[in-house]
Amino acid sequence: MTSGSTQRSDAVRVRYAPSPTGYPHVGGVRTALYNWLFARHHGGKFILRLEDTDLSRSSEESARAMLEGLRWVGLDWDEGPDVGGPYGPYRQTERRELYQRYAARLVEAGRAYPCYCTPEELQARRQEALRRGEAPKYDRRCLHLTDAERRRLEAEGRPRALRFRIDDQGETVVHDLVRGEVRFDNALLDDFVIIKSDGLPTYNFAVVVDDLEMRITHVIRGDEHLSNTPRQLQVYRALGAQPPAFAHLSILLAPDRSKLSKRHGAQSVDAFREMGFLPEALVNYLALLGWGYDAEQQIFSVEELIEKFSLERVSKNPAIFDIQKLEWMNGYYLRRLSVDELAARSRPFLEKAQLAQRIDAQGEEGRRRLRRALELSQSRLRTLADVPAWVAYYFQDDFAYDEGAARRHLLRAGVPELLERIAADLEGLEPFDEPALEAYFTRLRDETGLKMGDVLQPVRVAVTGKDVSPGMFEVLALVGRGAAAARLRRAAAWARQRLAGAPVR
RNA sequence: GGCGCCAUCGUCUAGCCCGGCCCAGGACGCCGCCCUUUCAAGGCGGAAACACGGGUUCGAAUCCCGUUGGCGCUACCA
């Protein structure tokens, strides 16, 4: 076994090692991103490894979702379960023999021993210790078993786990790249299980073996692992191996300061995709959550992130995920997309809103109108999911009026007459384009003595159903003469009827 | 309970290591103004923070101690 050697290649090798027990959530993606940026910055390797030793919670579906989620945000890996690599396999359940070999080494060295205590017994003793106000450490009962006792327990067919014999003298110091020196009293550690009775390794053992075998140089992971690091360091030492460097990232919190979880709604990258976020915006935002270049710059391309990323500038405090800033950033990226790109990225959302078929049905003209519609609404978008609402009225006439908008602008004395007149005028307007429309409405304003808003807002509601839209002349020109006039008449009729039937105010 | 981590505007943060340039800078959000047919975008301006208490020092956001709070670990989960 060569892996126990202390030599370390100077090429950076980092890994992201999720356990496939759920969806890929943003916190994990951020950890992966930092690892990836670190690797790319240093021209090193980024490795993906699946920690699937918890058979009851791991699933193939989740593993697929993990990889897909990472790929969606634009990460790629040099070694991993799907692409292979020189230190595979890259899922722990396929590496059992390896852990067994390392465990055997520890047993030989007297640093590991079989334990026959059942979970129930352990649980009971733990409760008891807690009740007495003592630390719930493993009592080393099985360390002191005589050969005869051991034989008896084996003969009983008792399940057997393997425990690591901790060195409880002195202290273990973690030299953390983001937190500095962190010291732990070894007397507080206990003999933890390294091989479960099902033969699979536990996390604290498997990570060490894998990181060693895969020649990982920097372990960049979540803060929740900091407390476990002294245990792992002891395993490295017992193996006579040089540990990698460590960097513990603060975790992501929900707005209520609790850990980000399901009940806070969106946390899986899939959810963000469905909400219409762009991967480049999510990456930029996530990079800034816990890392800052100079605090002035907010927008970073991936290339810039790679160039500027460093662990020294990773902040120590936990960060709260702020979806409003993400939305702002998403809007920023959306505004910088070409119209064609925007159209392409909007496609799934237009399909979901049943608009894609209508657009397609218009062929080339449909594409042209969609492009123009997107052009007009681009600066108003925050997510791709907003797109359908901004383009729908260019492709369908049968919409309902927004209640508040209708009340404010349609259900007023004189409005039906005004709309009918405009409809008639527009039918004769030549040409029916933006300059002509503007000239017409200016004339109408002067002639009636109304303010532009008093004229245009009713028109807006009649033509779009809402009181918010892009510039009215552009909208009218794009909707087209026939449809515009028809909608104005429909709104006039609707308003007249409502005003007569149930007088408003 | 024990151990560990963390602590600057509502949020992300700069500054902290190497005390004075900080009556604390930027960004999101919020408010106001400008532009304007509405809403955005854009421009300009504003309110908004060094958790608390002790030290050390001529001087502390910056160093030390304590308190409080948040989070994590303490599993045959990862």
Side-chain angles (χ1 to χ4, degrees):
Chain A
M1 205 167 314
T2 56
S3 48
S5 71
T6 53
Q7 98 223 359
R8 197 159 75 196
S9 132
D10 34 359
V12 163
R13 290 177 60 82
V14 296
R15 82 322 192 258
Y16 174 58
S19 67
T21 54
Y23 46 79
H25 64 97
V26 286
V29 170
R30 187 188 62 147
T31 302
L33 173 65
Y34 282 25
N35 272 283
W36 183 82
L37 289 173
F38 185 77
R40 295 294 172 253
H41 177 86
H42 291 284
K45 301 283 191 217
F46 176 59
I47 292 132
L48 190 65
R49 180 174 76 219
L50 258 16
E51 307 212 328
D52 57 350
T53 55
D54 185 347
L55 266 16
S56 64
R57 295 198 303 146
S58 298
S59 77
E60 197 44 44
E61 187 196 343
S62 170
R64 252 199 319 278
M66 282 295 162
L67 305 209
E68 208 173 287
L70 293 174
R71 250 185 246 116
W72 180 69
V73 296
L75 303 191
D76 57 352
W77 39 97
D78 306 291
E79 298 169 28
D82 53 340
V83 298
Y87 302 102
Y90 292 88
R91 39 176 42 162
Q92 294 184 327
T93 44
E94 295 170 10
R95 300 166 66 82
R96 301 170 196 239
E97 298 75 31
L98 189 66
Y99 308 119
Q100 293 292 348
R101 283 214 307 277
Y102 273 85
R105 261 173 68 183
L106 290 176
V107 172
E108 257 167 64
R111 291 305 302 274
Y113 60 92
C115 173
Y116 303 90
C117 301
T118 66
E120 295 72 36
E121 292 167 348
L122 292 168
Q123 175 70 6
R125 278 183 258 156
R126 199 162 20 240
Q127 300 284 317
E128 176 64 12
L130 241 23
R131 204 181 46 72
R132 284 196 306 262
E134 289 167 17
K137 287 173 55 171
Y138 177 64
D139 56 14
R140 287 193 155 169
R141 185 169 302 209
C142 292
L143 174 63
H144 306 300
L145 253 32
T146 64
D147 286 347
E149 285 170 323
R150 215 187 310 273
R151 269 195 302 278
R152 202 197 72 231
L153 289 161
E154 283 293 341
E156 275 177 25
R158 277 249 200 173
R160 178 184 62 179
L162 219 51
R163 278 182 191 273
F164 180 70
R165 185 169 63 75
I166 212 89
D167 171 5
D168 57 8
Q169 302 300 302
E171 58 176 19
T172 299
V173 182
V174 178
H175 299 276
D176 193 280
L177 261 22
V178 341
R179 296 181 193 267
E181 212 170 74
V182 187
R183 323 182 80 90
F184 295 88
D185 185 351
N186 288 342
L188 269 12
L189 267 24
D190 69 348
D191 292 354
F192 59 96
V193 169
I194 56 175
I195 301 283
K196 298 181 276 185
S197 51
D198 64 4
L200 285 169
T202 57
Y203 168 74
N204 280 313
F205 183 56
V207 247
V208 172
V209 171
D210 288 338
D211 286 340
L212 220 42
E213 277 284 319
M214 295 181 180
R215 308 286 197 278
I216 299 303
T217 58
H218 301 257
V219 171
I220 304 168
R221 75 222 310 191
D223 198 22
E224 67 269 27
H225 296 296
L226 180 58
S227 301
N228 278 321
T229 309
R231 292 168 225 281
Q232 295 163 22
L233 246 15
Q234 283 220 19
V235 175
Y236 279 104
R237 207 186 307 150
L239 253 16
Q242 171 83 34
F246 291 96
H248 287 94
L249 272 20
S250 58
I251 53 167
L252 250 36
L253 261 28
D256 63 359
R257 296 211 151 269
S258 67
K259 216 174 156 178
L260 206 57
S261 70
K262 285 190 195 66
R263 69 198 164 80
H264 299 105
Q267 6 58 49
S268 84
V269 288
D270 298 32
F272 285 94
R273 171 164 46 182
E274 277 159 30
M275 285 188 288
F277 288 98
L278 261 20
E280 52 269 50
L282 187 60
V283 161
N284 190 154
Y285 178 66
L286 250 21
L288 244 37
L289 254 196
W291 172 85
Y293 181 60
D294 56 4
E296 307 289 304
Q297 187 176 352
Q298 307 290 318
I299 302 296
F300 292 85
S301 66
V302 173
E303 293 71 31
E304 270 180 300
L305 287 175
I306 290 173
E307 183 200 326
K308 293 174 170 167
F309 184 81
S310 73
L311 288 175
E312 292 79 73
R313 295 200 68 87
V314 168
S315 70
K316 295 196 270 264
N317 25 350
I320 293 177
F321 193 91
D322 177 16
I323 197 147
Q324 283 192 324
K325 185 155 183 176
L326 207 212
E327 276 171 353
W328 164 77
M329 203 169 263
N330 202 58
Y332 178 91
Y333 279 93
L334 243 19
R335 265 171 256 132
R336 270 147 197 83
L337 251 32
S338 72
V339 186
D340 287 325
E341 273 179 291
L342 183 55
R345 305 246 209 157
S346 303
R347 182 74 195 184
F349 295 88
L350 292 170
E351 279 169 4
K352 206 183 317 175
Q354 319 275 310
L355 272 170
Q357 306 89 302
R358 287 173 190 252
I359 296 166
D360 293 346
Q362 295 182 16
E364 184 54 40
E365 174 62 7
R367 270 197 294 283
R368 189 193 67 78
R369 302 184 88 203
L370 175 62
R371 287 177 48 95
R372 180 63 181 149
L374 289 172
E375 233 167 61
L376 294 178
S377 47
Q378 191 163 16
S379 73
R380 289 155 242 259
L381 302 173
R382 290 184 91 72
T383 69
L384 289 171
D386 293 342
V387 170
W390 284 97
V391 308
Y393 46 77
Y394 300 110
F395 299 95
Q396 59 185 43
D397 299 305
D398 53 339
F399 49 78
Y401 303 116
D402 173 85
E403 199 185 315
R407 180 164 21 83
R408 283 188 293 273
H409 305 292
L410 251 28
L411 302 179
R412 306 180 80 103
V415 164
E417 295 73 20
L418 177 67
L419 293 180
E420 268 157 8
R421 176 189 167 176
I422 295 172
D425 290 345
L426 292 186
E427 275 165 344
L429 187 69
E430 209 53 64
F432 194 80
D433 61 13
E434 288 161 31
L437 282 161
E438 176 158 18
Y440 163 70
F441 278 103
T442 305
R443 237 180 299 126
L444 182 67
R445 177 196 61 188
D446 295 343
E447 199 179 295
T448 57
L450 293 167
K451 284 188 288 189
M452 200 55 127
D454 294 332
V455 176
L456 255 19
Q457 281 301 79
V459 172
R460 174 168 278 117
V461 179
V463 175
T464 70
K466 317 171 205 295
D467 56 2
V468 169
S469 84
M472 219 40 234
F473 311 136
E474 288 88 340
V475 171
L476 283 169
L478 187 54
V479 165
R481 187 203 307 273
R487 291 181 197 181
L488 288 165
R489 289 221 161 81
R490 171 167 78 108
W494 181 86
R496 197 189 302 282
Q497 192 184 3
R498 289 281 298 265
L499 284 168
V504 178
R505 284 199 303 166

